[in-house]
Amino acid sequence: MKKLLLILIAITAMITSGYGAEQETANAADTVKTLTKAEKKALRKEKAKKEWKAHFNFYGFARSYLTYDTRQGFAPISGLYYFVPKDVNLNEYGQDLNATPEFRYLSITSRLGLDVKDYKYKSTHFGAKIEADFAFSANGTFAVALRLRHAYFTMMWKDLPIANNKTAKVQMLFGQTWHPISRGNCETLSFDTGSPFDVSNRSPQITMDATFDNRFTLTASLVAQMQYVSTGPEGASSAYQRYGLIPEALLAFTYSDKGFTTRIGVDVLSIKPRKTGIDANGVEVLVKDRVTSFTPYLFMEYRHKDFLINAKTSYAEAGEHINLISGYAVTKMRADGTWEYTPLHSSSTWMFIQYGSKYIGSVFGGYFKNLGTYEPICDAEHVYVNGQSSPGINQYWRIIPSFKVRLGKFMVGVEYHYTAAQYGDATTRNLTNGIVENNLHWVGNHRILALFQYSW
């Protein structure tokens, strides 16, 4: 009898409990139904806010540069992206017309960006970035316009099984961002961030990064030209790569562990400088001109707390598309209208040392040397080099000590640049090796730079 009574009590409790849960659900539904329009709008707004915070990050900064130079220089982006000082230009009275100081104060490098993160479909993780600034200048004129810096999306797969119970992570990137050879820039205050010693390039690309054991990364990339382009008979243009039908290719290997990073890679570019030529009969004909260049490079870095030291060296062939002062030259002009070419070789090395978190001091040093060609060139006229410089440059170097202060989201800093370039007579270039050797002389520029920046 007692057993039967206990069973009846248990059944009654279950029914009552179920009814209570149903009643709570019904009450919650009734509560939602009785919300006012304003309350429903507030709920949707709160949900959207949580969604934005979880997946979107809007960032940017307002930045102003103040610069003073002691002489004229090759400096695009309205003078903020400094390459080298211009050569001496004497008039009939012996005055150097390029020895003119210049001052500027500009905020055109202020920046806006949006990161998208943490979206997932099955085992695929998605992300994206779009970023722009207001820096724009062309042919010496200036206009306020948005300039695309980054626009890409990524697909990532984590914890992929490999041998010996190890896992790998693979990321594919589609769109425009830093050229893989530009990874590992120095952190100078100046807008040029080490150029034209450090290679600098943002381009449309498809890049794969495969990371093994969280230390080894294999990078393979196919790159197209847009803003940073090759030079040639028609001036600076992306057309030479389009004529050539072959994307630029890069392969690199990175090892990172305990603050140390080492990266070694090679970049290959094959372009077609001309579509047509003139044959021996004076007839315009289709030609198959092509110049292929190889650029191996090495990057090393060590970070520990507030200390940073890094360096990069490259041995470039025709490196004008990665913002080095280099290019290529014509070696033969054939009767059928075709030309043959040889790249100009160059060596570029820089080192950067920095210490501090709130009060930060740093020093940058860079050196570049034109090494000429492996083959004789046909003349001094058909030599094509970076349009942001002069064909008469033999070598150049730069030193930059700097100091900056970070106060929360506000930063202020000052830098001193000294850049020296050795010029020669480009019209009497040595045709055996393509090097400018006559009338060599040094020209230097002193630059004082101040930066004011507020980030969000």
Side-chain angles (χ1 to χ4, degrees):
M1 187 69 179
K2 287 183 179 180
K3 193 172 184 180
L4 180 60
L5 182 62
L6 289 174
I7 292 172
L8 289 173
I9 292 172
I11 293 172
T12 304
M14 290 174 62
I15 294 172
T16 305
S17 175
Y19 175 78
E22 290 177 4
Q23 190 64 35
E24 281 187 25
T25 303
N27 291 340
D30 290 340
T31 301
V32 173
K33 289 179 181 179
T34 58
L35 288 176
T36 65
K37 289 185 178 180
E39 290 171 331
K40 290 179 180 179
K41 185 177 179 181
L43 282 175
R44 289 195 299 269
K45 188 176 181 180
E46 183 65 24
K47 183 178 179 181
K49 186 177 180 180
K50 290 181 179 179
E51 177 79 4
W52 176 271
K53 189 174 181 179
H55 299 295
F56 299 91
N57 177 41
F58 176 70
Y59 66 93
F61 53 73
R63 178 169 65 184
S64 295
Y65 277 115
L66 184 154
T67 66
Y68 169 80
D69 295 293
T70 56
R71 70 178 292 112
Q72 299 293 295
F74 293 98
I77 314 298
S78 300
L80 295 180
Y81 201 102
Y82 196 84
F83 274 73
V84 291
K86 291 184 177 180
D87 196 5
V88 174
N89 181 20
L90 299 178
N91 65 8
E92 289 81 356
Y93 302 114
Q95 297 174 319
D96 182 0
L97 301 182
N98 284 330
T100 305
E102 188 169 332
F103 162 84
R104 62 182 60 80
Y105 180 69
L106 295 169
S107 299
I108 60 174
T109 61
S110 297
R111 193 173 300 171
L112 296 170
L114 176 66
D115 284 327
V116 183
K117 59 182 180 178
D118 295 333
Y119 276 101
K120 186 178 179 182
Y121 178 74
K122 294 185 177 180
S123 63
T124 305
H125 300 257
F126 290 90
K129 177 190 283 287
I130 187 163
E131 181 182 287
D133 64 10
F134 299 88
F136 175 79
S137 62
N139 301 321
T141 62
F142 169 73
V144 176
L146 277 174
R147 180 183 67 155
L148 181 68
R149 287 175 54 86
H150 302 277
Y152 65 82
F153 72 91
T154 60
M155 301 170 64
M156 181 187 295
W157 299 268
K158 300 179 180 180
D159 300 322
L160 298 175
I162 54 178
N164 300 322
N165 296 320
K166 301 287 186 179
T167 60
K169 177 179 70 175
V170 176
Q171 176 180 280
M172 295 294 300
L173 181 148
F174 303 85
Q176 174 166 307
T177 188
W178 288 112
H179 193 298
I181 202 173
S182 295
R183 294 179 182 178
N185 289 345
C186 57
E187 300 177 11
T188 60
L189 286 174
S190 52
F191 187 55
D192 48 66
T193 59
S195 291
F197 305 88
D198 190 12
V199 294
S200 179
N201 180 302
R202 286 186 305 273
S203 292
Q205 61 192 267
I206 299 174
T207 295
M208 180 204 73
D209 288 302
T211 302
F212 309 93
D213 197 27
N214 294 318
R215 293 181 296 171
F216 305 93
T217 300
L218 177 67
T219 300
S221 186
L222 298 176
V223 184
Q225 294 186 0
M226 192 190 77
Q227 178 185 353
Y228 298 85
V229 297
S230 298
T231 190
E234 300 175 16
S237 174
S238 63
Y240 310 124
Q241 188 189 48
R242 300 199 307 269
Y243 299 158
L245 304 179
I246 300 175
E248 182 182 355
L250 177 137
L251 187 66
F253 180 79
T254 304
Y255 174 79
S256 299
D257 189 36
K258 297 179 180 179
F260 287 96
T261 299
T262 301
R263 181 178 301 113
I264 186 168
V266 62
D267 183 69
V268 182
L269 177 67
S270 186
I271 61 173
K272 186 177 178 181
R274 300 184 308 153
K275 294 184 298 182
T276 63
I278 306 298
D279 68 10
N281 299 318
V283 177
E284 185 176 12
V285 294
L286 294 173
V287 296
K288 296 183 179 180
D289 295 16
R290 184 172 294 278
V291 56
T292 301
S293 58
F294 297 83
T295 300
Y297 68 98
L298 172 67
F299 170 77
M300 301 185 73
E301 179 177 278
Y302 175 68
R303 291 178 181 266
H304 179 69
K305 296 182 179 180
D306 296 335
F307 177 76
L308 164 67
I309 180 170
N310 56 17
K312 186 184 292 183
T313 185
S314 62
Y315 182 81
E317 295 184 339
E320 75 279 8
H321 70 292
I322 50 177
N323 253 7
L324 298 179
I325 299 180
S326 188
Y328 56 94
V330 178
T331 59
K332 294 178 183 178
M333 296 181 175
R334 299 192 178 278
D336 62 357
T338 62
W339 292 356
E340 294 184 8
Y341 306 83
T342 183
L344 292 172
H345 298 81
S346 62
S347 171
S348 181
T349 302
W350 60 264
M351 178 178 285
F352 179 75
I353 303 173
Q354 178 177 279
Y355 181 78
S357 57
K358 181 178 180 180
Y359 303 99
I360 306 168
S362 65
V363 62
F364 168 90
Y367 176 74
F368 177 93
K369 171 67 176 172
N370 271 315
L371 301 174
T373 61
Y374 290 156
E375 301 176 51
I377 63 177
C378 65
D379 55 44
E381 179 182 354
H382 294 86
V383 178
Y384 308 107
V385 299
N386 192 316
Q388 304 293 348
S389 64
S390 164
I393 290 181
N394 185 289
Q395 58 185 322
Y396 52 89
W397 61 272
R398 178 179 297 167
I399 186 75
I400 309 176
S402 69
F403 179 76
K404 58 188 175 185
V405 179
R406 293 185 184 274
L407 303 172
K409 296 183 178 182
F410 175 71
M411 181 173 69
V412 60
V414 62
E415 281 187 346
Y416 166 73
H417 293 221
Y418 181 74
T419 306
Q422 186 185 51
Y423 283 90
D425 185 358
T427 62
T428 60
R429 185 187 300 267
N430 187 329
L431 301 185
T432 302
N433 57 22
I435 299 177
V436 175
E437 298 176 333
N438 295 326
N439 191 28
L440 294 178
H441 56 281
W442 287 92
V443 178
N445 175 65
H446 301 269
R447 165 172 278 204
I448 304 296
L449 178 148
L451 173 144
F452 310 94
Q453 178 175 307
Y454 182 82
S455 303
W456 57 84

